[in-house]
Amino acid sequence: MIELLQDYGFEPHLAHLLQCKAIASARLKNDRADAATLAHLLRTDLLPEAWIAPAAIREQRAVLRHRAQLVRLRTLLRNRIHAVLADYGL
């Protein structure tokens, strides 16, 4: 998503969730009010921002997530095969 925004010429900002207490403590909770609060904090340069990783690091993270998913799938299949073999007494 960040790449798409940057391709269109926007400068994305990632709000730090734990430090952005203005939204969490608001009485009115909806997307419109939250967006207005975030826009106001960004406009006044008070928005606590989180670090946006460079594209190379984001790509490495995606590869690592995919590998972890494949390892989980391999483990699931091994366990199923062992269960079927155990049912047949092997």
Side-chain angles (χ1 to χ4, degrees):
M1 180 60 94
I2 291 174
E3 294 91 2
L4 181 65
L5 290 172
Q6 289 173 339
D7 289 345
Y8 281 113
F10 292 104
E11 182 184 344
H13 296 271
L14 183 63
H16 193 286
L17 184 63
L18 296 177
Q19 294 178 358
C20 195
K21 297 177 184 174
I23 293 177
S25 63
R27 289 186 179 195
L28 180 61
K29 291 296 295 171
N30 60 40
D31 288 344
R32 182 174 288 186
D34 291 347
T37 303
L38 284 173
H40 176 70
L41 290 173
L42 181 61
R43 192 172 37 253
T44 57
D45 202 26
L46 296 174
L47 183 68
E49 292 191 39
W51 178 67
I52 298 176
I57 293 177
R58 290 194 304 265
E59 185 176 328
Q60 288 176 347
R61 288 177 179 174
V63 169
L64 183 62
R65 278 192 302 270
H66 184 66
R67 183 184 184 283
Q69 181 183 8
L70 291 175
V71 169
R72 282 192 299 269
L73 179 61
R74 179 185 66 189
T75 303
L76 175 85
L77 292 174
R78 278 184 179 176
N79 290 341
R80 283 186 182 177
I81 290 169
H82 285 296
V84 169
L85 291 175
D87 286 344
Y88 287 104
L90 299 174

